Amino acid sequence: MSQQTQKLRLNALIALVVGSMIGGGIFSLPQNIAEHAAGGAVLIGWAVTAVGMLALAFVFQTLANRKPELDSGVYAYAKAGFGDYMGFSSAWGYWISAWMGNVGYFVLLFSTLGYFFPVFGQGNTPMAIGCASLLLWGVHFLVLRGIKEAAFINQLTTIAKIVPIVMFIVLAAVAFKADIFTRDFWGTETPSLGSVMDQVRNMMLVTVFVFIGIEGASVYSGRAEKRSDVGKATVIGFLGVLALLVLVNVLSLGIMSQPELAKLQNPSMAGVLKHVVGEWGAILISIGLAISLLGALLSWALLCAEILYATARDNTMPAFLKKENANHVPVNALWLTNTMIQIFLIITLVSSGTYTSLIYLASSMILVPYLWSAAYAVLLCVRGETYTQASRRRIKDLVVGAVALIYAIWLLYAAGPKYLLLSALLYAPGVFLFAKAKREQGQVLFKPWEKVIFAAVLMAALGAAYALYSGFITL
């Protein structure tokens, strides 16, 4: 199969972005947000999120057009701007975040199926894990058949899972009541929510999770039929998903009160629609969630393998990860990814609570790659690289990049020191693969300033390990 047959068009790239972002998060959004914020804070939080994430989407669009030689998005930008180790760390963190997210999708999928088949329980029973394992390797061999073929199937599942979400929005709009939405608008009757600022900050911990995947097209920039399509797909996909998320969240607050939503079991969209139309509403959402998760599993299987392959192709990870099969699929990267998923699926049988915490930890890890991408966009503007001196475009991109950078820093603050500290436990072991890659190239392991960075990561990892052992922090 020729490389040209693997090129992805705009519609496939948009589907990858949408498919990556819409997984299980949107179906649990009403409860997840209501647990942290009332209606007024929700509107403020979505406004801040819209500005910050749109700026980040524009950053990926700008970098895709101005640095066409940099494929693979988040990894390539970190390396180009801040060196090999930061590039490797971005790829490593992104990869861990991606495959851990897939473990979560498998568990949530079979938890949803437990609505119809009690033997699956909460998605972590022996039967559920056995079936999840069969599905995992089914997806694995599907992806091995080719990137383009898998991307086409992803387009179909993306369309299929949008349908129940749109139906929910239409039915919820009809049932929406303004008096319910404005009841205790600022959460003053629920002291546990805290101040409006606390509500906004805590809510944004949720919104960042549902937007992970916004960089999906950038990861595939090297396989895009037209380079300009990468930026278009990112912005179009983001705006579409943003509209769906806001509508699902806001309309739910006009059907059930904030305390009622906060008590719902997930997927909470099912509970909201059941409140509107009865039992068939819950069934519809459960089926939609199952389709959504199947599509997300495929999207993230593609992304996990691609990020390892691209990093190895650039000699930042060991050479064995850039091996492709006859269909131009990074076979070793895919095997490594799905082996890790299989291991953690087995772990969920005995440690579901710890596993759930690790999912949030893994999600927070992707904030660092986002931060370096925004910082690189600002760096290009400051240097004037790829810009004519004092051009209006340069000033505009500098402002957008600065907004995205400030937003990324804010997200790190919102995530809190606990997750930043614990993430070092996952970042630190990656140095072994980094060292192997450097040895293959006959290069020194670290540059002087990279030694300082790694020392800080190692100290944080040791501190986190001690804190866990001592019980000062828990997973």
Side-chain angles (χ1 to χ4, degrees):
M1 184 179 294
S2 68
Q3 183 68 22
Q4 182 61 31
T5 62
Q6 294 293 316
K7 293 298 183 180
L8 303 177
R9 296 182 178 181
L10 177 61
N11 57 348
L13 292 170
I14 292 174
L16 281 168
V17 174
V18 175
S20 298
M21 282 192 281
I22 296 184
I26 190 171
F27 291 90
S28 301
L29 194 63
Q31 187 277 334
N32 291 166
I33 295 292
E35 190 176 18
H36 297 292
V42 165
L43 294 180
I44 296 173
W46 279 118
V48 173
T49 299
V51 172
M53 278 292 179
L54 183 59
L56 192 59
F58 280 134
V59 161
F60 286 122
Q61 181 183 46
T62 298
L63 292 177
N65 293 332
R66 293 199 168 272
K67 285 290 183 178
E69 71 277 11
L70 297 180
D71 294 329
S72 310
V74 290
Y75 144 71
Y77 303 143
K79 181 177 180 180
F82 307 100
D84 290 349
Y85 182 60
M86 290 315 304
F88 172 87
S89 296
S90 289
W92 179 253
Y94 182 87
W95 176 68
I96 292 176
S97 175
W99 65 254
M100 277 194 169
N102 257 13
V103 178
Y105 285 151
F106 277 112
V107 173
L108 183 56
L109 172 61
F110 283 92
S111 176
T112 302
L113 293 177
Y115 183 88
F116 305 100
F117 308 102
V119 70
F120 292 137
Q122 296 300 309
N124 59 354
T125 65
M127 178 62 73
I129 297 304
C131 292
S133 299
L134 290 175
L135 179 58
L136 166 66
W137 295 108
V139 170
H140 174 85
F141 289 108
L142 174 62
V143 174
L144 284 178
R145 296 188 61 182
I147 294 294
K148 187 174 181 180
E149 287 75 5
F152 173 72
I153 294 174
N154 178 64
Q155 290 181 63
L156 297 181
T157 58
T158 297
I159 294 171
K161 67 187 174 184
I162 292 297
V163 172
I165 295 174
V166 172
M167 288 183 64
F168 173 89
I169 290 172
V170 172
L171 293 171
V174 174
F176 181 86
K177 291 182 172 58
D179 61 319
I180 296 178
F181 180 74
T182 56
R183 187 184 304 166
D184 192 22
F185 193 63
W186 298 110
T188 54
E189 297 178 10
T190 311
S192 61
L193 293 177
S195 67
V196 173
M197 179 59 71
D198 288 338
Q199 293 177 51
V200 171
R201 182 174 64 85
N202 293 332
M203 167 192 165
M204 293 179 74
L205 291 175
V206 177
T207 61
V208 69
F209 298 148
V210 297
F211 274 118
I212 290 177
I214 190 175
E215 72 296 324
S218 296
V219 173
Y220 278 91
S221 56
R223 298 184 187 270
E225 187 174 74
K226 295 181 181 178
R227 183 72 187 196
S228 60
D229 286 346
V230 174
K232 292 178 183 176
T234 300
V235 174
I236 292 172
F238 164 75
L239 292 175
V241 172
L242 174 65
L244 294 175
L245 290 169
V246 173
L247 285 170
V248 165
N249 189 192
V250 172
L251 291 174
S252 296
L253 284 165
I255 294 173
M256 301 174 70
S257 67
Q258 177 268 325
E260 290 173 331
L261 288 172
K263 294 177 182 178
L264 287 177
Q265 295 294 315
N266 284 313
S268 51
M269 268 180 65
V272 175
L273 197 56
K274 181 179 179 180
H275 185 81
V276 175
V277 300
E279 187 68 25
W280 73 266
I283 295 174
L284 173 67
I285 295 302
S286 296
I287 294 173
L289 176 56
I291 295 173
S292 176
L293 290 171
L294 287 171
L297 285 170
L298 186 54
S299 295
W300 283 103
L302 294 167
L303 288 167
C304 288
E306 189 72 10
I307 198 70
L308 284 182
Y309 165 75
T311 316
R313 189 177 58 188
D314 198 19
N315 300 320
T316 303
M317 280 200 179
F320 77 93
L321 291 172
K322 62 183 177 182
K323 179 182 178 182
E324 292 183 293
N325 65 9
N327 294 322
H328 300 284
V329 176
V331 59
N332 285 346
L334 190 64
W335 276 103
L336 177 60
T337 297
N338 288 337
T339 297
M340 293 304 300
I341 292 174
Q342 181 66 78
I343 291 172
F344 269 72
L345 280 173
I346 295 172
I347 289 175
T348 61
L349 284 172
V350 295
S351 187
S352 59
T354 299
Y355 155 76
T356 302
S357 298
L358 284 175
I359 287 297
Y360 284 96
L361 171 60
S363 298
S364 70
M365 289 182 69
I366 207 169
L367 299 180
V368 173
Y370 285 172
L371 174 70
W372 289 122
S373 294
Y376 183 57
V378 171
L379 186 64
L380 288 184
C381 294
V382 172
R383 291 176 175 173
E385 190 175 341
T386 75
Y387 295 92
T388 57
Q389 191 167 3
S391 68
R392 289 185 178 180
R393 182 68 187 184
R394 178 182 174 186
I395 296 173
K396 177 183 176 182
D397 288 349
L398 178 60
V399 172
V400 172
V403 170
L405 181 59
I406 292 170
Y407 178 66
I409 294 172
W410 162 255
L411 290 176
L412 288 173
Y413 163 74
K418 170 185 173 180
Y419 285 116
L420 292 180
L421 186 65
L422 289 174
S423 67
L425 285 173
L426 299 177
Y427 274 111
V431 73
F432 294 106
L433 284 180
F434 183 64
K436 179 174 174 57
K438 284 292 186 179
R439 187 164 56 248
E440 290 173 352
Q441 300 302 311
Q443 299 175 356
V444 297
L445 180 58
F446 292 123
K447 295 177 181 178
W449 66 276
E450 290 177 333
K451 292 180 181 178
V452 176
I453 293 175
F454 177 69
V457 172
L458 184 60
M459 289 179 64
L462 293 174
Y466 177 76
L468 283 171
Y469 176 77
S470 303
F472 291 120
I473 60 175
T474 56
L475 287 176

